[in-house]
Amino acid sequence: MLPFLARRLASLCGVLLCVLTLTFLLLRLSPGSPFARERKLPPVIEQQLLAKYHLEGSLWTQYTEYLGDVLHGDLRLSTKYRDRSVRELLAQSLPVSALLGSTAFLLASTLGIWLGSTAAIRHHTPLDTSAMLLALALISVPTFVAGPLLVLIFSLSLGWLPVGGWNSPASLLLPAITLAGPAIAAIARLTRTSMLETLQAPFLRTARAKGLSECRVLYVHALKTALLPVISYLGPLAAQLLTGSIVVESIFNLPGTGSFFINAILNRDVFLLGGVVLVYCVLLVAMNLLVDLAYTWLDPRIRLDA
Amino acid sequence: MATHAPLRPGLLPRLLTRPTASLSLLLLGGVVLVTLLLPAWLHSNPHLTSSQTFCPPDAAHPFGTDLNGRDLLARTLEGARISLLVGGTGALVSLVIGTSVGLISGYVGGRTDALLMRLVDVLYAVPRLILIILAGFLADPWLQKMLAALQGGRWVSYSKVAILVVALGCIEWLTMARIVRGQVLSLKTLPFVQAARALGQSHIRIILRHLLPNLSGIIVVYLTLTVPAVILDESFLSFLGLGVQAPQASWGTLLSDGAMALNPVHSPWWLLLFPATAMSITLLSLNFLGDALRDALAE
């Protein structure tokens, strides 16, 4: 277990370094200055701004100094939202995205697994066909179509739910459904495929021969094994959902992290981009670690130190 | 790419026995035909503005008109053309890169394999839209200069679309590379490959004559699934205003306009409904086709 965790930590550092380097270099090499505004700044002021934000000197010194600061836990100041630190911006927006993301994640995993396993158990019945049709339809309707359509129907026509904003639990509902839609479909399809394979396995015959109830055979023995590939999809999905989605945030006007990913690039806000990418990567690796741990629990034959 | 038959004999007939597959082929053919032929027949100009703004669907404008009084049918058709073009070409770019990387990684093995697969891992870890947008920033000025020199600059406005196609193709190859690599790893241990090697055939020849034909089935399946993924990415970027630039339209920009026009006082639903339907039908039939191909291959 310990060597496994150590190896994972080492690979996390490697991935973080690569990803930070890639985003920093690409954004610094892009044409355009982080301080470009409608009115051109006098060169002296621009020079001072560059100095204040540690963006002068050769690209190599900028890069190494930035890495050093990140290692010390300093994510620096945002160049767009002047005088506010990246840490502060993240602390404000992450809770919103995390709440929305975890709601969507719970919705997607429970509905998806239920839909997929039911379809597999009722294989070759109209229920199976319609569940898979529904899943494919959900995949083919992207979030930026589903979001406005849901607003049009439930907020503008029926007036049941708020159009957007972040003030009541009800305002969480539409964005969470929008965000969860494609994920439900993907999870349902994965679960069904994997469950169909598992249902052929001999160990289920053993379980039935032991006299276990059909419910226990299907939902404990079969589903537990069938969930393995689903779990490895859920890891990256959680990281993605928790860090927010720019589309959902812009449609429903939410103050989340997702919009930073794109806006930081558009504003050449190197450190803000570095911050959100860092959060995303750490979450991604952490979730993958959880996936591996869940694997050993779901299938005791799997050993992590192997 | 492959000079040999792209599908194992019997795959197409097996495919056509599936009602969903035939239906989605039919739908897809319909969408492509309509996209190509209808604009010429209608003589409608997607850029022609008029004073009839936000006109609901009627006989003159079957899909209604938008904020600038442009005919939405003509705009949806233009959007379809650009989206399909970007999806198709982007998927081809990803096919070439993904297959080459997967083949090399799996066939050469060892350090090359480890290096390429770590590259894939890192690219998976960067949110891919960031890469696409940054690639656009880096390449756009350069490409615009190149295009400006060509034929008096009439292609300059296409530089964004061209970059989008290449960048999307360069990002969407990751899954393809992994799958091809996995297949190559198992294929290259099979007796016929070893026999070919024992006969003294060159590596290039083994890859092209023995490995590629055996991979073509799975490559076609993932190609079919990459097209909708690229179309989705393109319209996502266009929705955010980072893809196709006005006055050109793609499904993404149309949907973004439609979402923007919604407000509690007046909701022009047609601006959203028609492009959304066109896009969803296309994506649905492509996904169906990919699924059916995969099932037919597994049979």
Side-chain angles (χ1 to χ4, degrees), chain B residues 115-149:
Chain B
L115 194 73
L116 284 173
M117 284 304 114
R118 287 302 82 70
L119 176 71
V120 170
D121 286 345
V122 168
L123 286 181
Y124 258 120
V126 191
R128 52 187 181 165
L129 288 172
I130 291 188
L131 281 186
I132 297 174
I133 297 168
L134 285 175
F137 281 158
L138 285 177
D140 197 36
W142 172 79
L143 190 69
Q144 281 200 353
K145 216 178 289 165
M146 281 230 326
L147 289 174

PDB file of all heavy atoms in Angstrom, chain B residues 115-149:
ATOM      1  N   LEU B 115       7.229   6.678 -23.697  1.00  0.00           N
ATOM      2  CA  LEU B 115       7.262   8.131 -23.902  1.00  0.00           C
ATOM      3  C   LEU B 115       5.942   8.622 -24.510  1.00  0.00           C
ATOM      4  O   LEU B 115       5.316   9.569 -24.025  1.00  0.00           O
ATOM      5  CB  LEU B 115       8.438   8.483 -24.812  1.00  0.00           C
ATOM      6  CG  LEU B 115       8.815   9.951 -24.851  1.00  0.00           C
ATOM      7  CD1 LEU B 115       9.503  10.320 -23.547  1.00  0.00           C
ATOM      8  CD2 LEU B 115       9.722  10.238 -26.033  1.00  0.00           C
ATOM      9  N   LEU B 116       5.514   7.941 -25.572  1.00  0.00           N
ATOM     10  CA  LEU B 116       4.292   8.372 -26.265  1.00  0.00           C
ATOM     11  C   LEU B 116       3.075   8.243 -25.353  1.00  0.00           C
ATOM     12  O   LEU B 116       2.201   9.116 -25.339  1.00  0.00           O
ATOM     13  CB  LEU B 116       4.084   7.546 -27.536  1.00  0.00           C
ATOM     14  CG  LEU B 116       4.998   7.920 -28.701  1.00  0.00           C
ATOM     15  CD1 LEU B 116       4.824   6.942 -29.851  1.00  0.00           C
ATOM     16  CD2 LEU B 116       4.695   9.328 -29.181  1.00  0.00           C
ATOM     17  N   MET B 117       3.040   7.183 -24.580  1.00  0.00           N
ATOM     18  CA  MET B 117       1.871   6.983 -23.717  1.00  0.00           C
ATOM     19  C   MET B 117       1.854   7.992 -22.566  1.00  0.00           C
ATOM     20  O   MET B 117       0.796   8.424 -22.128  1.00  0.00           O
ATOM     21  CB  MET B 117       1.825   5.555 -23.183  1.00  0.00           C
ATOM     22  CG  MET B 117       1.357   4.554 -24.214  1.00  0.00           C
ATOM     23  SD  MET B 117      -0.272   4.972 -24.902  1.00  0.00           S
ATOM     24  CE  MET B 117       0.114   5.326 -26.603  1.00  0.00           C
ATOM     25  N   ARG B 118       3.060   8.387 -22.062  1.00  0.00           N
ATOM     26  CA  ARG B 118       3.078   9.441 -21.045  1.00  0.00           C
ATOM     27  C   ARG B 118       2.579  10.747 -21.643  1.00  0.00           C
ATOM     28  O   ARG B 118       1.851  11.497 -21.021  1.00  0.00           O
ATOM     29  CB  ARG B 118       4.476   9.634 -20.471  1.00  0.00           C
ATOM     30  CG  ARG B 118       4.991   8.548 -19.528  1.00  0.00           C
ATOM     31  CD  ARG B 118       4.119   8.332 -18.325  1.00  0.00           C
ATOM     32  NE  ARG B 118       2.958   7.482 -18.572  1.00  0.00           N
ATOM     33  CZ  ARG B 118       3.030   6.182 -18.793  1.00  0.00           C
ATOM     34  NH1 ARG B 118       4.191   5.562 -18.768  1.00  0.00           N
ATOM     35  NH2 ARG B 118       1.944   5.486 -19.037  1.00  0.00           N
ATOM     36  N   LEU B 119       2.967  10.995 -22.913  1.00  0.00           N
ATOM     37  CA  LEU B 119       2.488  12.203 -23.596  1.00  0.00           C
ATOM     38  C   LEU B 119       0.960  12.198 -23.639  1.00  0.00           C
ATOM     39  O   LEU B 119       0.300  13.198 -23.337  1.00  0.00           O
ATOM     40  CB  LEU B 119       3.058  12.258 -25.015  1.00  0.00           C
ATOM     41  CG  LEU B 119       2.561  13.405 -25.874  1.00  0.00           C
ATOM     42  CD1 LEU B 119       3.145  14.714 -25.384  1.00  0.00           C
ATOM     43  CD2 LEU B 119       2.888  13.198 -27.342  1.00  0.00           C
ATOM     44  N   VAL B 120       0.402  11.032 -23.990  1.00  0.00           N
ATOM     45  CA  VAL B 120      -1.057  10.912 -24.043  1.00  0.00           C
ATOM     46  C   VAL B 120      -1.656  11.189 -22.661  1.00  0.00           C
ATOM     47  O   VAL B 120      -2.641  11.920 -22.532  1.00  0.00           O
ATOM     48  CB  VAL B 120      -1.467   9.515 -24.561  1.00  0.00           C
ATOM     49  CG1 VAL B 120      -2.953   9.287 -24.388  1.00  0.00           C
ATOM     50  CG2 VAL B 120      -1.089   9.364 -26.015  1.00  0.00           C
ATOM     51  N   ASP B 121      -1.014  10.637 -21.618  1.00  0.00           N
ATOM     52  CA  ASP B 121      -1.518  10.850 -20.254  1.00  0.00           C
ATOM     53  C   ASP B 121      -1.540  12.333 -19.902  1.00  0.00           C
ATOM     54  O   ASP B 121      -2.520  12.828 -19.350  1.00  0.00           O
ATOM     55  CB  ASP B 121      -0.632  10.112 -19.240  1.00  0.00           C
ATOM     56  CG  ASP B 121      -0.877   8.621 -19.281  1.00  0.00           C
ATOM     57  OD1 ASP B 121      -1.910   8.235 -19.862  1.00  0.00           O
ATOM     58  OD2 ASP B 121      -0.059   7.871 -18.752  1.00  0.00           O
ATOM     59  N   VAL B 122      -0.431  13.028 -20.218  1.00  0.00           N
ATOM     60  CA  VAL B 122      -0.354  14.451 -19.873  1.00  0.00           C
ATOM     61  C   VAL B 122      -1.416  15.230 -20.642  1.00  0.00           C
ATOM     62  O   VAL B 122      -2.119  16.077 -20.088  1.00  0.00           O
ATOM     63  CB  VAL B 122       1.050  15.006 -20.154  1.00  0.00           C
ATOM     64  CG1 VAL B 122       1.042  16.517 -20.086  1.00  0.00           C
ATOM     65  CG2 VAL B 122       2.042  14.450 -19.166  1.00  0.00           C
ATOM     66  N   LEU B 123      -1.565  14.916 -21.942  1.00  0.00           N
ATOM     67  CA  LEU B 123      -2.560  15.640 -22.737  1.00  0.00           C
ATOM     68  C   LEU B 123      -3.974  15.364 -22.227  1.00  0.00           C
ATOM     69  O   LEU B 123      -4.844  16.228 -22.301  1.00  0.00           O
ATOM     70  CB  LEU B 123      -2.452  15.255 -24.208  1.00  0.00           C
ATOM     71  CG  LEU B 123      -1.241  15.847 -24.916  1.00  0.00           C
ATOM     72  CD1 LEU B 123      -1.221  15.440 -26.372  1.00  0.00           C
ATOM     73  CD2 LEU B 123      -1.240  17.357 -24.807  1.00  0.00           C
ATOM     74  N   TYR B 124      -4.198  14.165 -21.691  1.00  0.00           N
ATOM     75  CA  TYR B 124      -5.487  13.868 -21.089  1.00  0.00           C
ATOM     76  C   TYR B 124      -5.731  14.757 -19.872  1.00  0.00           C
ATOM     77  O   TYR B 124      -6.849  15.135 -19.560  1.00  0.00           O
ATOM     78  CB  TYR B 124      -5.547  12.402 -20.634  1.00  0.00           C
ATOM     79  CG  TYR B 124      -6.318  11.499 -21.549  1.00  0.00           C
ATOM     80  CD1 TYR B 124      -5.716  10.414 -22.158  1.00  0.00           C
ATOM     81  CD2 TYR B 124      -7.669  11.720 -21.792  1.00  0.00           C
ATOM     82  CE1 TYR B 124      -6.409   9.568 -22.998  1.00  0.00           C
ATOM     83  CE2 TYR B 124      -8.373  10.885 -22.632  1.00  0.00           C
ATOM     84  CZ  TYR B 124      -7.747   9.808 -23.225  1.00  0.00           C
ATOM     85  OH  TYR B 124      -8.445   8.985 -24.048  1.00  0.00           O
ATOM     86  N   ALA B 125      -4.629  15.065 -19.144  1.00  0.00           N
ATOM     87  CA  ALA B 125      -4.775  15.793 -17.882  1.00  0.00           C
ATOM     88  C   ALA B 125      -5.018  17.282 -18.092  1.00  0.00           C
ATOM     89  O   ALA B 125      -5.583  17.934 -17.240  1.00  0.00           O
ATOM     90  CB  ALA B 125      -3.550  15.582 -17.005  1.00  0.00           C
ATOM     91  N   VAL B 126      -4.570  17.858 -19.226  1.00  0.00           N
ATOM     92  CA  VAL B 126      -4.846  19.267 -19.485  1.00  0.00           C
ATOM     93  C   VAL B 126      -6.267  19.363 -20.004  1.00  0.00           C
ATOM     94  O   VAL B 126      -6.629  18.617 -20.900  1.00  0.00           O
ATOM     95  CB  VAL B 126      -3.915  19.837 -20.577  1.00  0.00           C
ATOM     96  CG1 VAL B 126      -4.035  21.337 -20.632  1.00  0.00           C
ATOM     97  CG2 VAL B 126      -2.503  19.428 -20.345  1.00  0.00           C
ATOM     98  N   PRO B 127      -7.080  20.243 -19.444  1.00  0.00           N
ATOM     99  CA  PRO B 127      -8.408  20.427 -20.035  1.00  0.00           C
ATOM    100  C   PRO B 127      -8.242  20.757 -21.515  1.00  0.00           C
ATOM    101  O   PRO B 127      -7.547  21.709 -21.862  1.00  0.00           O
ATOM    102  CB  PRO B 127      -8.971  21.609 -19.249  1.00  0.00           C
ATOM    103  CG  PRO B 127      -8.232  21.611 -17.968  1.00  0.00           C
ATOM    104  CD  PRO B 127      -6.868  21.094 -18.271  1.00  0.00           C
ATOM    105  N   ARG B 128      -8.848  19.950 -22.392  1.00  0.00           N
ATOM    106  CA  ARG B 128      -8.450  20.005 -23.797  1.00  0.00           C
ATOM    107  C   ARG B 128      -8.860  21.298 -24.483  1.00  0.00           C
ATOM    108  O   ARG B 128      -8.199  21.732 -25.430  1.00  0.00           O
ATOM    109  CB  ARG B 128      -8.987  18.811 -24.565  1.00  0.00           C
ATOM    110  CG  ARG B 128     -10.443  18.649 -24.377  1.00  0.00           C
ATOM    111  CD  ARG B 128     -10.942  17.402 -24.975  1.00  0.00           C
ATOM    112  NE  ARG B 128     -12.363  17.443 -24.711  1.00  0.00           N
ATOM    113  CZ  ARG B 128     -13.240  16.690 -25.281  1.00  0.00           C
ATOM    114  NH1 ARG B 128     -12.871  15.816 -26.154  1.00  0.00           N
ATOM    115  NH2 ARG B 128     -14.511  16.812 -25.005  1.00  0.00           N
ATOM    116  N   LEU B 129      -9.940  21.939 -23.975  1.00  0.00           N
ATOM    117  CA  LEU B 129     -10.337  23.183 -24.644  1.00  0.00           C
ATOM    118  C   LEU B 129      -9.262  24.246 -24.491  1.00  0.00           C
ATOM    119  O   LEU B 129      -9.051  25.078 -25.374  1.00  0.00           O
ATOM    120  CB  LEU B 129     -11.657  23.676 -24.071  1.00  0.00           C
ATOM    121  CG  LEU B 129     -12.813  22.792 -24.510  1.00  0.00           C
ATOM    122  CD1 LEU B 129     -14.072  23.176 -23.790  1.00  0.00           C
ATOM    123  CD2 LEU B 129     -13.016  22.896 -26.013  1.00  0.00           C
ATOM    124  N   ILE B 130      -8.553  24.209 -23.350  1.00  0.00           N
ATOM    125  CA  ILE B 130      -7.469  25.157 -23.138  1.00  0.00           C
ATOM    126  C   ILE B 130      -6.439  25.015 -24.246  1.00  0.00           C
ATOM    127  O   ILE B 130      -5.991  25.997 -24.833  1.00  0.00           O
ATOM    128  CB  ILE B 130      -6.813  24.903 -21.765  1.00  0.00           C
ATOM    129  CG1 ILE B 130      -7.789  25.301 -20.660  1.00  0.00           C
ATOM    130  CG2 ILE B 130      -5.517  25.648 -21.634  1.00  0.00           C
ATOM    131  CD1 ILE B 130      -7.185  25.280 -19.289  1.00  0.00           C
ATOM    132  N   LEU B 131      -6.092  23.773 -24.556  1.00  0.00           N
ATOM    133  CA  LEU B 131      -5.103  23.540 -25.603  1.00  0.00           C
ATOM    134  C   LEU B 131      -5.581  24.063 -26.947  1.00  0.00           C
ATOM    135  O   LEU B 131      -4.824  24.685 -27.691  1.00  0.00           O
ATOM    136  CB  LEU B 131      -4.799  22.047 -25.710  1.00  0.00           C
ATOM    137  CG  LEU B 131      -3.852  21.484 -24.676  1.00  0.00           C
ATOM    138  CD1 LEU B 131      -3.534  20.040 -25.000  1.00  0.00           C
ATOM    139  CD2 LEU B 131      -2.571  22.298 -24.639  1.00  0.00           C
ATOM    140  N   ILE B 132      -6.856  23.806 -27.243  1.00  0.00           N
ATOM    141  CA  ILE B 132      -7.375  24.235 -28.543  1.00  0.00           C
ATOM    142  C   ILE B 132      -7.333  25.758 -28.661  1.00  0.00           C
ATOM    143  O   ILE B 132      -6.877  26.317 -29.665  1.00  0.00           O
ATOM    144  CB  ILE B 132      -8.817  23.731 -28.739  1.00  0.00           C
ATOM    145  CG1 ILE B 132      -8.834  22.207 -28.756  1.00  0.00           C
ATOM    146  CG2 ILE B 132      -9.402  24.275 -30.017  1.00  0.00           C
ATOM    147  CD1 ILE B 132     -10.202  21.614 -28.789  1.00  0.00           C
ATOM    148  N   ILE B 133      -7.775  26.429 -27.596  1.00  0.00           N
ATOM    149  CA  ILE B 133      -7.817  27.896 -27.649  1.00  0.00           C
ATOM    150  C   ILE B 133      -6.408  28.455 -27.762  1.00  0.00           C
ATOM    151  O   ILE B 133      -6.138  29.363 -28.566  1.00  0.00           O
ATOM    152  CB  ILE B 133      -8.516  28.435 -26.387  1.00  0.00           C
ATOM    153  CG1 ILE B 133      -9.959  27.944 -26.344  1.00  0.00           C
ATOM    154  CG2 ILE B 133      -8.495  29.946 -26.383  1.00  0.00           C
ATOM    155  CD1 ILE B 133     -10.628  28.187 -25.030  1.00  0.00           C
ATOM    156  N   LEU B 134      -5.480  27.894 -26.986  1.00  0.00           N
ATOM    157  CA  LEU B 134      -4.110  28.400 -27.031  1.00  0.00           C
ATOM    158  C   LEU B 134      -3.475  28.148 -28.390  1.00  0.00           C
ATOM    159  O   LEU B 134      -2.774  29.006 -28.924  1.00  0.00           O
ATOM    160  CB  LEU B 134      -3.279  27.742 -25.922  1.00  0.00           C
ATOM    161  CG  LEU B 134      -3.568  28.275 -24.520  1.00  0.00           C
ATOM    162  CD1 LEU B 134      -2.818  27.497 -23.489  1.00  0.00           C
ATOM    163  CD2 LEU B 134      -3.207  29.751 -24.440  1.00  0.00           C
ATOM    164  N   ALA B 135      -3.753  26.974 -28.965  1.00  0.00           N
ATOM    165  CA  ALA B 135      -3.222  26.682 -30.295  1.00  0.00           C
ATOM    166  C   ALA B 135      -3.735  27.714 -31.286  1.00  0.00           C
ATOM    167  O   ALA B 135      -2.993  28.192 -32.160  1.00  0.00           O
ATOM    168  CB  ALA B 135      -3.629  25.268 -30.720  1.00  0.00           C
ATOM    169  N   GLY B 136      -5.005  28.092 -31.137  1.00  0.00           N
ATOM    170  CA  GLY B 136      -5.587  29.105 -32.017  1.00  0.00           C
ATOM    171  C   GLY B 136      -4.846  30.427 -31.899  1.00  0.00           C
ATOM    172  O   GLY B 136      -4.479  31.041 -32.899  1.00  0.00           O
ATOM    173  N   PHE B 137      -4.584  30.840 -30.657  1.00  0.00           N
ATOM    174  CA  PHE B 137      -3.861  32.098 -30.446  1.00  0.00           C
ATOM    175  C   PHE B 137      -2.495  32.085 -31.111  1.00  0.00           C
ATOM    176  O   PHE B 137      -2.076  33.052 -31.738  1.00  0.00           O
ATOM    177  CB  PHE B 137      -3.643  32.334 -28.950  1.00  0.00           C
ATOM    178  CG  PHE B 137      -4.851  32.861 -28.258  1.00  0.00           C
ATOM    179  CD1 PHE B 137      -5.001  32.724 -26.899  1.00  0.00           C
ATOM    180  CD2 PHE B 137      -5.843  33.506 -28.979  1.00  0.00           C
ATOM    181  CE1 PHE B 137      -6.106  33.207 -26.251  1.00  0.00           C
ATOM    182  CE2 PHE B 137      -6.955  33.992 -28.343  1.00  0.00           C
ATOM    183  CZ  PHE B 137      -7.086  33.837 -26.983  1.00  0.00           C
ATOM    184  N   LEU B 138      -1.792  30.960 -30.930  1.00  0.00           N
ATOM    185  CA  LEU B 138      -0.423  30.902 -31.429  1.00  0.00           C
ATOM    186  C   LEU B 138      -0.388  30.868 -32.948  1.00  0.00           C
ATOM    187  O   LEU B 138       0.460  31.488 -33.577  1.00  0.00           O
ATOM    188  CB  LEU B 138       0.288  29.668 -30.867  1.00  0.00           C
ATOM    189  CG  LEU B 138       0.707  29.789 -29.402  1.00  0.00           C
ATOM    190  CD1 LEU B 138       1.322  28.496 -28.919  1.00  0.00           C
ATOM    191  CD2 LEU B 138       1.706  30.927 -29.261  1.00  0.00           C
ATOM    192  N   ALA B 139      -1.336  30.135 -33.542  1.00  0.00           N
ATOM    193  CA  ALA B 139      -1.240  29.900 -34.979  1.00  0.00           C
ATOM    194  C   ALA B 139      -1.971  30.950 -35.810  1.00  0.00           C
ATOM    195  O   ALA B 139      -1.643  31.146 -36.982  1.00  0.00           O
ATOM    196  CB  ALA B 139      -1.779  28.504 -35.298  1.00  0.00           C
ATOM    197  N   ASP B 140      -2.933  31.655 -35.210  1.00  0.00           N
ATOM    198  CA  ASP B 140      -3.796  32.519 -36.019  1.00  0.00           C
ATOM    199  C   ASP B 140      -3.050  33.625 -36.771  1.00  0.00           C
ATOM    200  O   ASP B 140      -3.217  33.757 -37.981  1.00  0.00           O
ATOM    201  CB  ASP B 140      -4.910  33.104 -35.143  1.00  0.00           C
ATOM    202  CG  ASP B 140      -6.051  33.647 -35.984  1.00  0.00           C
ATOM    203  OD1 ASP B 140      -6.335  33.017 -37.020  1.00  0.00           O
ATOM    204  OD2 ASP B 140      -6.642  34.667 -35.610  1.00  0.00           O
ATOM    205  N   PRO B 141      -2.219  34.428 -36.091  1.00  0.00           N
ATOM    206  CA  PRO B 141      -1.535  35.500 -36.818  1.00  0.00           C
ATOM    207  C   PRO B 141      -0.681  34.959 -37.958  1.00  0.00           C
ATOM    208  O   PRO B 141      -0.645  35.524 -39.061  1.00  0.00           O
ATOM    209  CB  PRO B 141      -0.643  36.150 -35.747  1.00  0.00           C
ATOM    210  CG  PRO B 141      -1.095  35.632 -34.456  1.00  0.00           C
ATOM    211  CD  PRO B 141      -1.823  34.370 -34.690  1.00  0.00           C
ATOM    212  N   TRP B 142      -0.031  33.849 -37.675  1.00  0.00           N
ATOM    213  CA  TRP B 142       0.861  33.236 -38.665  1.00  0.00           C
ATOM    214  C   TRP B 142       0.083  32.768 -39.891  1.00  0.00           C
ATOM    215  O   TRP B 142       0.429  33.054 -41.031  1.00  0.00           O
ATOM    216  CB  TRP B 142       1.564  32.062 -37.971  1.00  0.00           C
ATOM    217  CG  TRP B 142       2.382  31.203 -38.850  1.00  0.00           C
ATOM    218  CD1 TRP B 142       3.633  31.476 -39.319  1.00  0.00           C
ATOM    219  CD2 TRP B 142       2.012  29.935 -39.382  1.00  0.00           C
ATOM    220  NE1 TRP B 142       4.056  30.442 -40.095  1.00  0.00           N
ATOM    221  CE2 TRP B 142       3.081  29.489 -40.154  1.00  0.00           C
ATOM    222  CE3 TRP B 142       0.857  29.143 -39.259  1.00  0.00           C
ATOM    223  CZ2 TRP B 142       3.058  28.271 -40.828  1.00  0.00           C
ATOM    224  CZ3 TRP B 142       0.838  27.940 -39.934  1.00  0.00           C
ATOM    225  CH2 TRP B 142       1.931  27.517 -40.694  1.00  0.00           C
ATOM    226  N   LEU B 143      -1.040  32.098 -39.643  1.00  0.00           N
ATOM    227  CA  LEU B 143      -1.829  31.575 -40.753  1.00  0.00           C
ATOM    228  C   LEU B 143      -2.483  32.708 -41.531  1.00  0.00           C
ATOM    229  O   LEU B 143      -2.580  32.656 -42.765  1.00  0.00           O
ATOM    230  CB  LEU B 143      -2.890  30.604 -40.224  1.00  0.00           C
ATOM    231  CG  LEU B 143      -3.614  29.823 -41.318  1.00  0.00           C
ATOM    232  CD1 LEU B 143      -2.666  28.843 -41.971  1.00  0.00           C
ATOM    233  CD2 LEU B 143      -4.814  29.077 -40.778  1.00  0.00           C
ATOM    234  N   GLN B 144      -2.927  33.746 -40.800  1.00  0.00           N
ATOM    235  CA  GLN B 144      -3.554  34.874 -41.504  1.00  0.00           C
ATOM    236  C   GLN B 144      -2.583  35.517 -42.463  1.00  0.00           C
ATOM    237  O   GLN B 144      -2.947  35.907 -43.568  1.00  0.00           O
ATOM    238  CB  GLN B 144      -4.057  35.894 -40.483  1.00  0.00           C
ATOM    239  CG  GLN B 144      -5.365  35.477 -39.858  1.00  0.00           C
ATOM    240  CD  GLN B 144      -6.115  36.622 -39.243  1.00  0.00           C
ATOM    241  OE1 GLN B 144      -5.604  37.718 -39.162  1.00  0.00           O
ATOM    242  NE2 GLN B 144      -7.331  36.364 -38.810  1.00  0.00           N
ATOM    243  N   LYS B 145      -1.324  35.614 -42.041  1.00  0.00           N
ATOM    244  CA  LYS B 145      -0.310  36.203 -42.918  1.00  0.00           C
ATOM    245  C   LYS B 145      -0.143  35.340 -44.162  1.00  0.00           C
ATOM    246  O   LYS B 145      -0.080  35.831 -45.271  1.00  0.00           O
ATOM    247  CB  LYS B 145       1.020  36.318 -42.140  1.00  0.00           C
ATOM    248  CG  LYS B 145       1.815  37.562 -42.501  1.00  0.00           C
ATOM    249  CD  LYS B 145       3.092  37.660 -41.681  1.00  0.00           C
ATOM    250  CE  LYS B 145       2.842  37.983 -40.224  1.00  0.00           C
ATOM    251  NZ  LYS B 145       4.028  37.716 -39.391  1.00  0.00           N
ATOM    252  N   MET B 146      -0.105  34.013 -43.947  1.00  0.00           N
ATOM    253  CA  MET B 146       0.064  33.097 -45.073  1.00  0.00           C
ATOM    254  C   MET B 146      -1.110  33.213 -46.033  1.00  0.00           C
ATOM    255  O   MET B 146      -0.936  33.268 -47.252  1.00  0.00           O
ATOM    256  CB  MET B 146       0.120  31.655 -44.563  1.00  0.00           C
ATOM    257  CG  MET B 146       1.441  31.278 -43.990  1.00  0.00           C
ATOM    258  SD  MET B 146       2.081  29.742 -44.650  1.00  0.00           S
ATOM    259  CE  MET B 146       0.639  28.748 -44.922  1.00  0.00           C
ATOM    260  N   LEU B 147      -2.330  33.240 -45.473  1.00  0.00           N
ATOM    261  CA  LEU B 147      -3.513  33.265 -46.319  1.00  0.00           C
ATOM    262  C   LEU B 147      -3.647  34.606 -47.033  1.00  0.00           C
ATOM    263  O   LEU B 147      -4.161  34.676 -48.153  1.00  0.00           O
ATOM    264  CB  LEU B 147      -4.772  32.990 -45.483  1.00  0.00           C
ATOM    265  CG  LEU B 147      -4.911  31.558 -44.988  1.00  0.00           C
ATOM    266  CD1 LEU B 147      -6.100  31.430 -44.060  1.00  0.00           C
ATOM    267  CD2 LEU B 147      -5.079  30.605 -46.165  1.00  0.00           C
ATOM    268  N   ALA B 148      -3.183  35.681 -46.394  1.00  0.00           N
ATOM    269  CA  ALA B 148      -3.280  36.999 -47.013  1.00  0.00           C
ATOM    270  C   ALA B 148      -2.452  37.051 -48.286  1.00  0.00           C
ATOM    271  O   ALA B 148      -2.802  37.752 -49.243  1.00  0.00           O
ATOM    272  CB  ALA B 148      -2.820  38.073 -46.030  1.00  0.00           C
ATOM    273  N   ALA B 149      -1.370  36.278 -48.311  1.00  0.00           N
ATOM    274  CA  ALA B 149      -0.516  36.282 -49.496  1.00  0.00           C
ATOM    275  C   ALA B 149      -1.150  35.492 -50.631  1.00  0.00           C
ATOM    276  O   ALA B 149      -0.800  35.657 -51.792  1.00  0.00           O
ATOM    277  CB  ALA B 149       0.853  35.698 -49.144  1.00  0.00           C
TER     278      ALA B 149
END
